[in-house]
């Protein structure tokens, strides 16, 4: 005689051997649901062969709506099969709705996401391009500055060369106080005439000439620079390189080329670059 005692109903969401939505929050795929249901059908068929028609009728009448209300016993497989026929329909409907939602809504979201990604990538590309352009502009400005400086230096050197050529051509002409050529010169008159030949206007008086350009250290003196002498800035010569200059020394002498230290190093007052 079959026992009249039934096992306590399970309070969980899993029937022995049966997978339910509570196991995973209803996130299983349709294929997984169908696979579980097919396995349950096979178990139900096997149980059906071992049970009588009367037992089936009695158990079917006691079936509840929800799967969690069944007791998981070895004799409940057929009941579970009947229940699962309804569960299958529910699961399929839920899966179909889920698949339908995934087939319609995500593309829109994906399109929006891709649009945002494209915008971000475009902004990133623009930022990179801007940085590249700015770097190139900075490099171009630096090169332009270098070229401009070099061109100015070359231009200044060319002018200085013209001044030196003129001054050297005056070597041998007598010193005459207040003279600015072409037959004779004093020191400031020679300096003025030399740079005039190069297209650069200088003041006539030696003290004014000392303020007519850029003062540079004696260590940086270049050809064409004007070297001034004595504390009272009373003499000037045109520097030609290698420590030499062309000048008109004093009354009774002639324009000549000699060392800037012709009368000792202490007499050098300053060096001025006209251009």
């Amino acid at each position: 005689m079959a026992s009249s005692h039934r096992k306590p109903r399970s309070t969980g969401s899993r029937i022995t051997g049966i997978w339910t939505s509570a196991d995973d929050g209803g996130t299983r795929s349709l294929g997984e649901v169908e696979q579980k249901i097919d396995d349950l059908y096979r178990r139900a068929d096997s149980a059906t062969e071992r049970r009588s028609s009367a037992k089936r009728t009695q158990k079917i009448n006691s079936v509840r709506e929800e799967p969690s209300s069944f007791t998981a016993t070895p004799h409940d497989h057929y009941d579970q099969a009947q229940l699962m026929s309804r569960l299958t329909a529910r699961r399929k409907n839920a899966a179909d709705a889920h698949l339908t939602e995934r087939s319609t809504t995500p593309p829109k979201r994906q399109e929006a996401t891709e649009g945002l990604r494209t915008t971000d990538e475009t902004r990133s590309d623009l930022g990179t391009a801007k940085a590249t352009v700015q770097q190139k502009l900075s490099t171009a400005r630096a090169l332009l500055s270098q070229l401009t400086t070099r061109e100015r230096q070359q231009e200044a050197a060319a002018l200085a060369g013209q001044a030196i050529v003129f001054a050297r051509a005056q070597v041998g002409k007598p010193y005459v106080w207040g003279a600015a050529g072409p037959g004779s010169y004093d020191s400031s008159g020679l300096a003025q005439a030399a740079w005039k030949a190069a297209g650069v206007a200088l003041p006539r008086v030696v003290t004014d000439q000392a303020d007519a350009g850029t003062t540079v250290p004696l260590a940086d003196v270049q050809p064409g620079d004007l070297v001034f002498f004595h504390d009272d800035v009373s003499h000037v010569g045109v520097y030609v390189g290698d420590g030499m200059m062309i000048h008109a020394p004093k009354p009774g002498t002639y324009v000549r080329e000699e060392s800037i230290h012709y009368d000792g190093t202490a007499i050098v007052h300053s060096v001025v670059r006209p251009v």
Side-chain angles (χ1 to χ4, degrees), residues 103-184:
S103 65
T104 56
T105 303
K108 295 180 181 178
R109 294 177 182 174
Q110 182 178 3
E111 180 179 354
T113 301
E114 291 177 353
L116 290 175
R117 185 183 300 113
T118 301
T119 301
D120 291 340
E121 291 175 353
T122 300
R123 289 176 179 173
S124 178
D125 291 343
L126 288 175
T128 301
K130 181 179 179 181
T132 301
V133 170
Q134 289 177 336
Q135 182 178 5
K136 289 182 178 180
L137 285 175
S138 178
T139 302
R141 291 191 187 101
L143 290 174
L144 180 60
S145 178
Q146 293 176 2
L147 289 174
T148 301
T149 300
R150 188 179 305 168
E151 288 175 353
R152 289 176 178 173
Q153 291 175 344
Q154 291 174 347
E155 181 180 1
L159 296 176
Q162 294 177 26
I164 291 171
V165 168
F166 180 89
R168 188 164 279 132
Q170 311 311 308
V171 171
K173 292 183 179 181
Y175 173 95
V176 174
W177 183 85
S184 60

